[in-house]
Coordinates of all heavy atoms in Angstrom, one line a residue:
M1 N 50.6 115.2 116.6 CA 50.8 114.0 115.7 C 51.0 114.4 114.3 O 50.3 115.3 113.8 CB 49.4 113.1 115.8 CG 49.4 112.0 114.8 SD 47.9 111.1 115.0 CE 47.9 110.3 113.4
A2 N 52.0 113.8 113.6 CA 52.3 114.2 112.2 C 51.5 113.4 111.3 O 51.3 112.2 111.5 CB 53.8 114.0 112.0
F3 N 51.0 114.1 110.3 CA 50.3 113.3 109.2 C 51.2 113.2 108.0 O 52.0 114.0 107.7 CB 49.1 114.2 108.8 CG 48.1 114.3 109.9 CD1 48.0 115.5 110.7 CD2 47.2 113.2 110.1 CE1 47.1 115.5 111.7 CE2 46.2 113.4 111.1 CZ 46.2 114.5 111.9
Q4 N 50.9 112.1 107.3 CA 51.7 111.9 106.1 C 50.7 111.6 104.9 O 49.6 111.0 105.1 CB 52.5 110.7 106.2 CG 53.8 110.9 107.0 CD 54.7 109.7 107.1 OE1 54.3 108.5 107.0 NE2 56.0 110.0 107.3
D5 N 51.1 112.0 103.7 CA 50.3 111.8 102.6 C 49.9 110.3 102.4 O 50.8 109.5 102.7 CB 51.0 112.2 101.3 CG 51.0 113.7 101.2 OD1 50.6 114.5 102.2 OD2 51.4 114.2 100.1
K6 N 48.8 110.0 102.0 CA 48.3 108.7 102.0 C 47.6 108.4 100.7 O 46.8 109.2 100.2 CB 47.3 108.5 103.1 CG 47.2 107.1 103.7 CD 46.2 107.2 104.8 CE 46.3 106.2 105.8 NZ 45.3 106.4 106.9
N7 N 47.9 107.2 100.0 CA 47.2 106.9 98.8 C 46.0 106.0 99.1 O 46.0 105.2 99.9 CB 48.1 106.1 97.9 CG 49.0 106.9 97.2 OD1 48.7 108.0 96.6 ND2 50.3 106.6 97.1
L8 N 44.8 106.5 98.5 CA 43.6 105.8 98.8 C 43.0 105.5 97.4 O 43.3 106.1 96.4 CB 42.6 106.7 99.6 CG 43.0 107.1 101.0 CD1 42.0 108.0 101.6 CD2 43.2 105.9 101.9
A9 N 42.2 104.5 97.4 CA 41.5 104.1 96.2 C 40.0 104.7 96.3 O 39.3 104.5 97.2 CB 41.5 102.6 96.0
C10 N 39.6 105.3 95.1 CA 38.3 105.9 95.1 C 37.2 104.8 95.1 O 37.4 103.8 94.3 CB 38.1 106.8 93.9 SG 36.5 107.4 93.6
A11 N 36.2 104.9 95.8 CA 35.1 103.9 95.9 C 34.3 104.0 94.7 O 33.6 103.0 94.3 CB 34.3 104.0 97.2
E12 N 34.4 105.1 94.0 CA 33.4 105.2 92.8 C 34.1 104.8 91.5 O 33.6 104.1 90.7 CB 32.9 106.6 92.8 CG 31.7 106.8 92.0 CD 30.8 107.9 92.5 OE1 30.7 108.1 93.7 OE2 30.2 108.6 91.6
C13 N 35.3 105.4 91.2 CA 35.9 105.2 89.9 C 37.1 104.2 90.1 O 37.7 103.7 89.1 CB 36.3 106.4 89.3 SG 37.7 107.3 90.1
G14 N 37.6 103.9 91.3 CA 38.7 103.0 91.6 C 40.0 103.6 91.3 O 41.1 103.0 91.5
N15 N 40.1 104.9 90.9 CA 41.4 105.6 90.8 C 42.0 105.8 92.2 O 41.3 106.1 93.2 CB 41.2 106.9 90.1 CG 41.1 106.7 88.6 OD1 41.4 105.7 88.0 ND2 40.4 107.8 87.9
Q16 N 43.4 105.9 92.1 CA 44.1 106.2 93.3 C 44.1 107.7 93.5 O 44.2 108.4 92.5 CB 45.5 105.7 93.2 CG 45.7 104.2 93.2 CD 46.1 103.6 94.5 OE1 47.1 104.2 95.1 NE2 45.6 102.6 95.0
F17 N 44.0 108.1 94.7 CA 44.1 109.6 94.9 C 44.8 109.8 96.2 O 44.9 108.9 97.1 CB 42.8 110.3 94.9 CG 41.8 109.9 96.1 CD1 41.7 110.7 97.2 CD2 41.1 108.8 95.9 CE1 40.9 110.3 98.2 CE2 40.2 108.3 97.0 CZ 40.1 109.2 98.2
V18 N 45.4 111.0 96.4 CA 46.2 111.3 97.7 C 45.4 111.9 98.6 O 44.7 112.9 98.4 CB 47.4 112.1 97.2 CG1 48.3 112.3 98.5 CG2 48.2 111.4 96.2
F19 N 45.3 111.4 99.8 CA 44.7 112.0 101.0 C 45.8 112.7 101.6 O 46.6 112.1 102.4 CB 44.1 110.9 101.8 CG 43.3 111.4 103.0 CD1 42.6 112.7 103.0 CD2 43.1 110.6 104.1 CE1 41.9 113.1 104.0 CE2 42.4 111.1 105.2 CZ 41.8 112.3 105.2
T20 N 46.0 114.0 101.4 CA 47.2 114.6 101.8 C 47.2 114.9 103.3 O 46.2 114.9 104.0 CB 47.4 116.1 101.1 OG1 46.3 116.9 101.5 CG2 47.3 115.9 99.6
A21 N 48.5 115.2 103.8 CA 48.7 115.5 105.2 C 47.8 116.5 105.7 O 47.2 116.5 106.7 CB 50.1 115.7 105.5
S22 N 47.7 117.6 104.8 CA 46.9 118.8 105.3 C 45.4 118.4 105.3 O 44.7 118.9 106.2 CB 47.2 120.0 104.4 OG 46.9 119.7 103.1
E23 N 45.0 117.6 104.4 CA 43.6 117.2 104.4 C 43.3 116.3 105.7 O 42.3 116.4 106.3 CB 43.2 116.4 103.2 CG 43.0 117.3 102.0 CD 42.9 116.5 100.6 OE1 43.5 115.4 100.5 OE2 42.2 117.0 99.8
Q24 N 44.3 115.5 106.0 CA 44.1 114.6 107.2 C 44.0 115.5 108.4 O 43.3 115.2 109.3 CB 45.3 113.6 107.3 CG 45.2 112.5 106.2 CD 46.5 111.7 106.2 OE1 46.8 111.2 107.2 NE2 47.2 111.6 105.1
E25 N 44.8 116.5 108.4 CA 44.9 117.4 109.6 C 43.5 118.1 109.6 O 42.9 118.2 110.8 CB 45.9 118.4 109.4 CG 46.5 118.9 110.7 CD 47.7 119.8 110.4 OE1 48.5 119.6 109.5 OE2 47.9 120.8 111.2
F26 N 43.0 118.5 108.5 CA 41.7 119.3 108.5 C 40.6 118.2 109.0 O 39.8 118.6 109.8 CB 41.4 119.6 107.1 CG 40.0 120.2 106.9 CD1 39.8 121.5 107.3 CD2 39.0 119.5 106.2 CE1 38.5 122.1 107.1 CE2 37.8 120.1 106.0 CZ 37.5 121.3 106.5
F27 N 40.6 117.0 108.5 CA 39.6 116.0 108.9 C 39.7 115.8 110.4 O 38.7 115.8 111.1 CB 39.9 114.7 108.2 CG 39.1 114.5 107.0 CD1 39.1 115.4 106.0 CD2 38.2 113.4 106.9 CE1 38.3 115.2 104.8 CE2 37.4 113.2 105.7 CZ 37.5 114.1 104.7
A28 N 40.9 115.7 110.9 CA 41.1 115.5 112.4 C 40.7 116.6 113.2 O 40.0 116.5 114.2 CB 42.6 115.2 112.6
S29 N 40.8 117.9 112.6 CA 40.4 119.1 113.4 C 39.0 119.1 113.4 O 38.3 119.7 114.3 CB 41.0 120.3 112.7 OG 40.3 120.6 111.6
K30 N 38.3 118.5 112.4 CA 36.8 118.5 112.5 C 36.2 117.3 113.2 O 35.0 117.2 113.4 CB 36.3 118.3 111.0 CG 36.6 119.6 110.1 CD 35.5 120.6 110.3 CE 35.8 121.8 109.4 NZ 34.8 122.9 109.6
G31 N 37.1 116.4 113.7 CA 36.7 115.3 114.4 C 36.2 114.1 113.6 O 35.7 113.2 114.1
Y32 N 36.5 114.2 112.3 CA 36.2 113.1 111.4 C 37.2 111.9 111.6 O 38.4 112.3 111.6 CB 36.2 113.5 109.9 CG 35.3 114.6 109.5 CD1 35.6 115.5 108.5 CD2 34.1 114.8 110.2 CE1 34.7 116.5 108.2 CE2 33.2 115.8 109.9 CZ 33.6 116.7 108.8 OH 32.7 117.7 108.5
T33 N 36.7 110.8 111.7 CA 37.6 109.7 112.0 C 37.7 108.9 110.7 O 38.6 108.0 110.5 CB 37.1 108.8 113.1 OG1 35.8 108.4 113.0 CG2 37.4 109.5 114.4
N34 N 36.8 109.0 109.8 CA 36.8 108.2 108.6 C 37.5 108.9 107.5 O 37.6 110.1 107.4 CB 35.4 107.7 108.1 CG 34.4 108.9 108.1 OD1 34.8 109.9 108.6 ND2 33.3 108.6 107.6
E35 N 38.1 108.1 106.5 CA 38.8 108.7 105.4 C 37.8 108.9 104.3 O 36.8 108.3 104.2 CB 39.9 107.7 104.9 CG 40.9 107.4 106.1 CD 41.8 106.3 105.7 OE1 41.4 105.4 104.9 OE2 43.0 106.3 106.2
P36 N 38.2 109.9 103.4 CA 37.3 110.2 102.2 C 37.3 108.9 101.3 O 38.2 108.2 101.2 CB 38.1 111.3 101.5 CG 39.4 111.2 102.0 CD 39.4 110.7 103.4
K37 N 36.1 108.6 100.8 CA 35.9 107.4 100.0 C 36.0 107.7 98.6 O 36.2 106.8 97.8 CB 34.5 106.8 100.3 CG 34.4 106.3 101.7 CD 33.3 105.3 101.8 CE 33.3 104.5 103.1 NZ 33.6 105.3 104.3
R38 N 36.0 108.9 98.1 CA 36.1 109.2 96.7 C 37.1 110.2 96.4 O 37.5 111.0 97.3 CB 34.7 109.9 96.3 CG 33.6 108.9 96.3 CD 32.2 109.5 96.0 NE 31.2 108.5 96.2 CZ 30.6 108.2 97.3 NH1 31.0 108.7 98.4 NH2 29.7 107.3 97.3
C39 N 37.7 110.1 95.2 CA 38.7 111.0 94.8 C 38.0 112.4 94.6 O 36.9 112.5 94.5 CB 39.3 110.5 93.5 SG 38.2 110.6 92.1
P40 N 38.9 113.4 94.5 CA 38.4 114.8 94.4 C 37.4 115.0 93.2 O 36.4 115.7 93.4 CB 39.6 115.7 94.3 CG 40.7 114.9 94.9 CD 40.4 113.4 94.7
S41 N 37.7 114.4 92.1 CA 36.9 114.6 90.9 C 35.5 114.0 91.1 O 34.5 114.4 90.6 CB 37.6 114.1 89.6 OG 38.0 112.8 89.7
C42 N 35.5 112.7 91.7 CA 34.2 112.1 92.0 C 33.4 112.9 93.0 O 32.2 113.1 92.9 CB 34.3 110.7 92.4 SG 34.9 109.6 91.1
R43 N 34.2 113.4 94.0 CA 33.5 114.3 95.0 C 32.9 115.5 94.3 O 31.7 115.9 94.6 CB 34.4 114.8 96.0 CG 34.2 113.9 97.4 CD 35.3 114.4 98.3 NE 36.6 113.7 98.1 CZ 37.8 114.2 98.5 NH1 37.9 115.3 99.2 NH2 38.9 113.5 98.3
E44 N 33.6 116.1 93.4 CA 33.2 117.3 92.7 C 31.9 117.0 91.9 O 31.0 117.7 91.9 CB 34.4 117.7 91.8 CG 34.1 119.1 91.1 CD 34.4 120.2 92.1 OE1 35.2 120.0 93.0 OE2 33.7 121.3 92.0
A45 N 32.0 115.9 91.1 CA 30.9 115.5 90.3 C 29.7 115.3 91.1 O 28.5 115.6 90.7 CB 31.3 114.3 89.5
R46 N 29.9 114.6 92.2 CA 28.8 114.3 93.1 C 28.1 115.6 93.6 O 26.9 115.7 93.7 CB 29.3 113.5 94.3 CG 28.3 112.6 94.9 CD 29.0 111.8 96.0 NE 28.0 111.2 96.8 CZ 27.3 110.1 96.6 NH1 27.5 109.6 95.4 NH2 26.4 109.7 97.4
R47 N 29.0 116.5 94.0 CA 28.5 117.8 94.5 C 27.7 118.6 93.5 O 26.6 119.1 93.7 CB 29.6 118.7 95.1 CG 29.1 119.7 96.0 CD 30.3 120.5 96.7 NE 31.5 120.3 96.0 CZ 32.7 120.2 96.7 NH1 32.8 120.2 97.9 NH2 33.8 120.1 96.0
A48 N 28.3 118.5 92.3 CA 27.6 119.3 91.1 C 26.2 118.6 90.9 O 25.3 119.3 90.7 CB 28.4 119.1 89.9
R49 N 26.1 117.3 91.0 CA 24.8 116.6 90.8 C 23.9 117.0 91.8 O 22.7 117.4 91.6 CB 25.1 115.1 90.8 CG 24.9 114.5 89.4 CD 24.7 112.9 89.5 NE 25.4 112.3 90.6 CZ 26.5 111.7 90.5 NH1 27.2 111.6 89.3 NH2 27.1 111.0 91.5
D50 N 24.3 116.9 93.1 CA 23.4 117.2 94.2 C 23.0 118.7 94.2 O 21.8 119.0 94.3 CB 24.1 116.9 95.5 CG 24.3 115.5 95.8 OD1 23.8 114.7 95.0 OD2 25.0 115.1 96.7
G51 N 24.0 119.6 94.0 CA 23.7 121.0 94.0 C 22.8 121.3 92.8 O 22.0 122.3 92.9
G52 N 22.9 120.7 91.7 CA 22.1 121.0 90.5 C 20.7 120.9 90.8 O 19.9 121.8 90.4
S53 N 20.1 119.8 91.5 CA 18.8 119.8 91.8 C 18.3 120.7 92.8 O 17.2 121.2 92.8 CB 18.4 118.3 92.2 OG 19.1 117.9 93.3
R54 N 19.2 121.1 93.7 CA 18.9 121.9 94.8 C 18.7 123.4 94.4 O 17.8 124.1 94.8 CB 19.8 121.9 96.0 CG 19.1 122.0 97.3 CD 20.1 121.8 98.5 NE 21.0 120.7 98.4 CZ 22.4 120.9 98.4 NH1 22.9 122.1 98.5 NH2 23.1 119.9 98.2
T55 N 19.7 123.8 93.5 CA 19.6 125.2 93.1 C 18.7 125.5 91.9 O 18.6 126.6 91.4 CB 21.0 125.7 92.8 OG1 21.6 124.9 91.8 CG2 21.9 125.7 94.2
Q56 N 18.2 124.4 91.4 CA 17.4 124.5 90.2 C 16.3 125.5 90.3 O 16.1 126.4 89.4 CB 16.8 123.2 89.8 CG 16.4 123.0 88.4 CD 15.9 121.7 88.0 OE1 15.5 120.9 89.0 NE2 15.9 121.3 86.8
R57 N 15.6 125.5 91.4 CA 14.5 126.5 91.5 C 14.6 127.1 93.0 O 14.4 126.5 94.0 CB 13.2 125.7 91.5 CG 12.0 126.6 91.2 CD 11.3 126.1 90.1 NE 10.0 126.9 89.8 CZ 10.1 127.9 89.0 NH1 11.2 128.2 88.4 NH2 9.0 128.6 88.7
Q58 N 15.2 128.3 93.0 CA 15.4 129.0 94.3 C 14.2 130.0 94.5 O 14.0 130.8 93.6 CB 16.7 129.7 94.2 CG 16.9 130.8 95.3 CD 18.1 130.6 96.1 OE1 19.1 130.3 95.7 NE2 17.9 130.6 97.4
F59 N 13.7 129.9 95.6 CA 12.6 130.8 96.0 C 13.0 131.8 97.1 O 13.8 131.3 98.0 CB 11.3 130.1 96.4 CG 10.6 129.5 95.2 CD1 10.9 128.3 94.6 CD2 9.6 130.3 94.6 CE1 10.2 127.8 93.5 CE2 8.9 129.8 93.5 CZ 9.2 128.6 93.0
Y60 N 12.5 132.9 97.0 CA 12.9 133.9 98.0 C 11.6 134.3 98.8 O 10.4 134.3 98.2 CB 13.4 135.2 97.4 CG 14.7 135.0 96.6 CD1 14.7 134.6 95.3 CD2 15.9 135.2 97.3 CE1 15.9 134.4 94.6 CE2 17.1 135.0 96.6 CZ 17.0 134.6 95.2 OH 18.2 134.3 94.5
S61 N 11.7 134.6 100.0 CA 10.7 135.0 100.8 C 10.5 136.5 100.8 O 11.5 137.2 101.0 CB 10.8 134.5 102.3 OG 10.7 133.1 102.3
A62 N 9.3 137.0 100.7 CA 9.1 138.4 100.7 C 7.7 138.7 101.4 O 7.0 137.7 101.5 CB 9.1 139.0 99.2
T63 N 7.4 139.9 101.5 CA 6.1 140.3 102.1 C 5.2 140.6 101.1 O 5.5 141.5 100.2 CB 6.3 141.4 103.1 OG1 7.3 141.0 104.1 CG2 5.0 141.6 103.9
C64 N 4.1 140.0 101.0 CA 3.1 140.3 100.0 C 2.6 141.8 100.1 O 2.2 142.2 101.2 CB 1.9 139.4 100.1 SG 0.5 139.7 99.0
A65 N 2.6 142.5 99.0 CA 2.2 143.9 99.1 C 0.7 144.1 99.3 O 0.3 145.2 99.5 CB 2.7 144.6 97.8
R66 N -0.1 143.1 99.1 CA -1.5 143.2 99.2 C -2.0 142.7 100.5 O -2.8 143.4 101.1 CB -2.1 142.5 98.0 CG -3.6 142.8 97.8 CD -4.2 142.2 96.6 NE -5.6 142.2 96.6 CZ -6.4 141.4 97.2 NH1 -5.9 140.4 97.9 NH2 -7.7 141.6 97.2
C67 N -1.7 141.5 100.8 CA -2.2 140.9 102.1 C -1.3 140.9 103.2 O -1.7 140.6 104.4 CB -2.8 139.5 101.8 SG -1.5 138.2 101.6
G68 N 0.0 141.2 103.0 CA 0.9 141.2 104.0 C 1.5 139.9 104.4 O 2.3 139.7 105.4
G69 N 1.0 138.8 103.7 CA 1.5 137.5 104.0 C 2.8 137.2 103.5 O 3.4 138.1 102.9
V70 N 3.2 136.0 103.6 CA 4.6 135.6 103.0 C 4.4 135.2 101.6 O 3.5 134.4 101.3 CB 5.1 134.4 103.9 CG1 6.4 133.9 103.2 CG2 5.4 134.8 105.3
A71 N 5.2 135.8 100.8 CA 5.2 135.5 99.4 C 6.4 134.7 99.0 O 7.5 135.2 99.4 CB 5.0 136.8 98.6
Q72 N 6.3 133.7 98.3 CA 7.5 132.9 97.8 C 7.6 133.3 96.3 O 6.7 133.0 95.5 CB 7.3 131.5 98.0 CG 7.2 131.0 99.4 CD 8.5 131.0 100.1 OE1 9.5 130.8 99.5 NE2 8.5 131.2 101.4
V73 N 8.7 133.9 96.0 CA 8.8 134.4 94.6 C 10.2 133.8 94.1 O 11.1 133.6 94.7 CB 8.9 135.9 94.5 CG1 7.5 136.5 94.8 CG2 9.9 136.5 95.5
P74 N 10.1 133.4 92.7 CA 11.3 132.8 92.1 C 12.4 133.8 91.7 O 13.2 133.4 90.9 CB 10.7 132.1 90.9 CG 9.5 133.0 90.6 CD 9.0 133.6 91.9
F75 N 12.3 135.0 92.2 CA 13.3 136.0 91.9 C 13.7 136.8 93.2 O 12.9 136.8 94.1 CB 12.8 136.9 90.8 CG 11.6 137.7 91.2 CD1 11.6 138.8 91.9 CD2 10.3 137.2 90.8 CE1 10.4 139.5 92.3 CE2 9.2 137.8 91.2 CZ 9.2 139.0 91.9
Q76 N 14.9 137.4 93.2 CA 15.2 138.2 94.3 C 14.4 139.5 94.4 O 14.5 140.3 93.5 CB 16.7 138.5 94.3 CG 17.2 139.4 95.3 CD 17.9 138.7 96.4 OE1 18.8 138.0 96.2 NE2 17.4 138.9 97.6
P77 N 13.6 139.7 95.5 CA 12.8 140.9 95.5 C 13.8 142.1 95.6 O 14.7 142.1 96.4 CB 12.0 140.7 96.7 CG 12.1 139.4 97.1 CD 13.4 138.8 96.6
R78 N 13.5 143.1 94.7 CA 14.5 144.3 94.8 C 13.9 145.5 95.4 O 14.6 146.5 95.6 CB 14.8 144.7 93.3 CG 15.4 143.4 92.6 CD 16.8 143.8 92.0 NE 16.7 145.1 91.3 CZ 16.8 145.1 90.0 NH1 16.8 144.1 89.3 NH2 16.8 146.3 89.4
G79 N 12.6 145.5 95.7 CA 12.0 146.5 96.4 C 11.4 147.7 95.5 O 10.8 148.5 96.0
D80 N 11.8 147.6 94.3 CA 11.2 148.6 93.3 C 10.0 148.2 92.7 O 9.3 148.9 92.0 CB 12.3 149.0 92.3 CG 12.7 147.7 91.4 OD1 12.4 146.6 91.9 OD2 13.3 147.9 90.4
K81 N 9.5 146.9 93.1 CA 8.2 146.5 92.5 C 7.5 145.7 93.6 O 8.2 145.0 94.4 CB 8.5 145.4 91.4 CG 8.6 146.1 90.1 CD 8.8 145.1 89.0 CE 9.1 145.8 87.6 NZ 9.9 145.0 86.7
P82 N 6.2 145.8 93.7 CA 5.5 145.1 94.7 C 5.6 143.6 94.5 O 5.6 143.2 93.3 CB 4.0 145.7 94.5 CG 4.0 146.2 93.1 CD 5.3 146.7 92.7
V83 N 5.6 142.9 95.5 CA 5.7 141.5 95.4 C 4.4 140.9 96.0 O 3.9 141.4 97.1 CB 6.9 140.9 96.3 CG1 6.9 139.4 96.3 CG2 8.2 141.4 95.6
Y84 N 3.8 140.0 95.3 CA 2.6 139.3 95.8 C 2.7 137.9 96.1 O 3.5 137.2 95.4 CB 1.4 139.6 94.8 CG 1.2 141.0 94.5 CD1 1.6 141.5 93.2 CD2 0.5 141.9 95.3 CE1 1.4 142.9 92.9 CE2 0.3 143.2 95.1 CZ 0.7 143.7 93.8 OH 0.5 145.0 93.5
C85 N 2.0 137.3 97.0 CA 1.9 135.9 97.2 C 1.1 135.4 96.0 O 0.5 136.1 95.2 CB 1.2 135.5 98.5 SG -0.5 136.0 98.6
S86 N 1.1 134.1 95.8 CA 0.6 133.5 94.6 C -1.0 133.8 94.5 O -1.5 134.1 93.3 CB 0.8 132.0 94.5 OG 0.4 131.4 95.7
D87 N -1.6 133.8 95.6 CA -3.1 134.1 95.6 C -3.3 135.5 95.1 O -4.1 135.8 94.2 CB -3.7 134.0 97.0 CG -3.8 132.5 97.4 OD1 -3.6 131.6 96.5 OD2 -4.0 132.2 98.6
C88 N -2.6 136.5 95.7 CA -2.8 137.9 95.4 C -2.3 138.2 94.0 O -2.8 139.0 93.2 CB -2.1 138.8 96.4 SG -2.8 138.7 98.1
F89 N -1.2 137.5 93.6 CA -0.7 137.7 92.3 C -1.8 137.4 91.2 O -1.9 138.1 90.3 CB 0.5 136.8 92.0 CG 1.0 136.9 90.6 CD1 1.6 138.1 90.2 CD2 0.9 135.9 89.7 CE1 2.2 138.3 88.9 CE2 1.4 136.0 88.4 CZ 2.0 137.2 88.0
S90 N -2.5 136.3 91.4 CA -3.5 136.0 90.4 C -4.6 137.0 90.4 O -5.2 137.3 89.3 CB -3.9 134.5 90.5 OG -4.2 134.2 91.8
L91 N -5.0 137.5 91.6 CA -6.0 138.5 91.6 C -5.6 139.8 91.0 O -6.3 140.4 90.2 CB -6.3 138.8 93.2 CG -7.2 137.8 93.9 CD1 -7.2 138.2 95.4 CD2 -8.6 137.7 93.3
V92 N -4.4 140.2 91.4 CA -3.9 141.4 90.8 C -3.7 141.3 89.2 O -4.1 142.3 88.5 CB -2.5 141.8 91.4 CG1 -1.8 142.9 90.6 CG2 -2.6 142.1 92.8
R93 N -3.3 140.2 88.8 CA -3.2 140.0 87.4 C -4.6 140.0 86.7 O -4.7 140.5 85.6 CB -2.5 138.7 87.1 CG -2.1 138.6 85.6 CD -1.3 137.4 85.3 NE -1.9 136.2 85.9 CZ -1.3 135.0 85.8 NH1 -0.2 134.8 85.2 NH2 -1.9 133.9 86.3
A94 N -5.5 139.4 87.3 CA -6.9 139.4 86.8 C -7.4 140.7 86.7 O -8.2 141.2 85.7 CB -7.8 138.5 87.6
Q95 N -7.1 141.6 87.7 CA -7.7 143.0 87.7 C -6.9 143.9 86.6 O -7.6 144.7 86.0 CB -7.3 143.6 89.1 CG -8.5 143.3 90.1 CD -8.0 143.6 91.5 OE1 -7.0 144.3 91.7 NE2 -8.7 143.1 92.5
S96 N -5.6 143.7 86.5 CA -4.9 144.6 85.6 C -4.9 144.1 84.2 O -4.5 144.8 83.3 CB -3.4 144.7 86.1 OG -2.8 143.5 86.0
G97 N -5.5 142.9 83.9 CA -5.6 142.4 82.6 C -4.4 141.8 82.1 O -3.2 142.0 82.6
P98 N -4.4 141.1 81.0 CA -3.3 140.3 80.4 C -2.2 141.2 80.0 O -1.0 140.8 80.1 CB -3.9 139.5 79.4 CG -5.2 140.2 79.0 CD -5.7 140.9 80.2
S99 N -2.4 142.4 79.7 CA -1.4 143.3 79.1 C -0.7 144.1 80.2 O 0.4 144.7 80.0 CB -1.8 144.2 78.1 OG -2.9 145.1 78.6
G100 N -1.2 144.1 81.5 CA -0.6 144.8 82.5 C 0.7 144.2 82.9 O 0.8 143.0 82.9
G101 N 1.7 145.1 83.2 CA 3.0 144.6 83.5 C 3.0 143.7 84.7 O 2.4 144.0 85.7
S102 N 3.5 142.5 84.5 CA 3.4 141.5 85.7 C 4.5 141.7 86.6 O 4.4 141.9 87.8 CB 3.3 140.1 85.2 OG 4.5 139.7 84.7
G103 N 5.7 141.7 86.0 CA 6.9 141.7 86.9 C 7.1 140.4 87.7 O 8.0 140.3 88.6
Y104 N 6.3 139.5 87.5 CA 6.4 138.2 88.2 C 7.6 137.4 87.9 O 8.2 136.7 88.6 CB 5.1 137.4 88.1 CG 5.0 136.2 89.0 CD1 5.0 136.5 90.4 CD2 4.9 135.0 88.6 CE1 4.9 135.4 91.3 CE2 4.9 133.9 89.4 CZ 4.8 134.1 90.8 OH 4.7 133.1 91.7
R105 N 8.0 137.5 86.6 CA 9.1 136.8 86.1 C 10.1 137.7 85.5 O 9.7 138.5 84.8 CB 8.6 135.8 85.0 CG 8.8 134.4 85.4 CD 8.0 133.4 84.6 NE 7.2 132.6 85.5 CZ 7.6 131.5 85.9 NH1 8.8 131.0 85.6 NH2 6.9 130.7 86.7
Ligands
ZN201 ZN1 36.8 108.7 91.7
ZN202 ZN1 -1.0 138.2 99.3

């Protein structure tokens, strides 16, 4: 089946945008039967908004160097520093004093 470029109206801003033949083919290959409701720029803006809150605070899972439990840390563990879970981190920090290098952030 041949696809043809199609003009659609964006549900968000009302602008006309082209639902191109190749996009239609892509949609069809994915099994989508509905047409896009938003123009590319509104889709982009929407994705940026959604992604913004999701990537705001990324946590990584690591193994706590003290208790061996799962530690959730706000940075990518590099292996050159011990990683602690939040419980152990406060214990370790209390032991090493306020001036001891934390490496937590
Ligand atoms: Zn739009
Ligand atoms: Zn721990």
Side-chain angles (χ1 to χ4, degrees):
M1 171 181 166
F3 292 98
Q4 283 187 334
D5 287 6
K6 207 178 202 177
N7 280 314
L8 296 176
C10 174
E12 199 149 322
C13 67
N15 282 340
Q16 293 256 316
F17 66 98
V18 182
F19 186 27
T20 65
S22 59
E23 283 171 330
Q24 290 173 52
E25 208 173 325
F26 175 76
F27 264 57
S29 74
K30 293 277 184 185
Y32 301 151
T33 52
N34 48 350
E35 296 169 336
K37 291 202 167 45
R38 289 175 184 83
C39 68
S41 56
C42 285
R43 255 178 276 159
E44 190 77 30
R46 208 176 163 77
R47 198 169 23 215
R49 249 198 328 262
D50 292 351
S53 57
R54 216 179 313 121
T55 55
Q56 203 176 18
R57 202 132 176 86
Q58 164 125 45
F59 280 86
Y60 298 87
S61 290
T63 305
C64 175
R66 191 174 169 278
C67 72
V70 176
Q72 296 283 331
V73 291
F75 56 88
Q76 173 101 55
R78 302 238 311 256
D80 57 345
K81 276 182 183 153
V83 174
Y84 302 105
C85 66
S86 55
D87 288 349
C88 294
F89 176 71
S90 45
L91 284 174
V92 169
R93 189 173 51 180
Q95 276 165 16
S96 62
S99 61
S102 74
Y104 189 63
R105 243 162 234 272

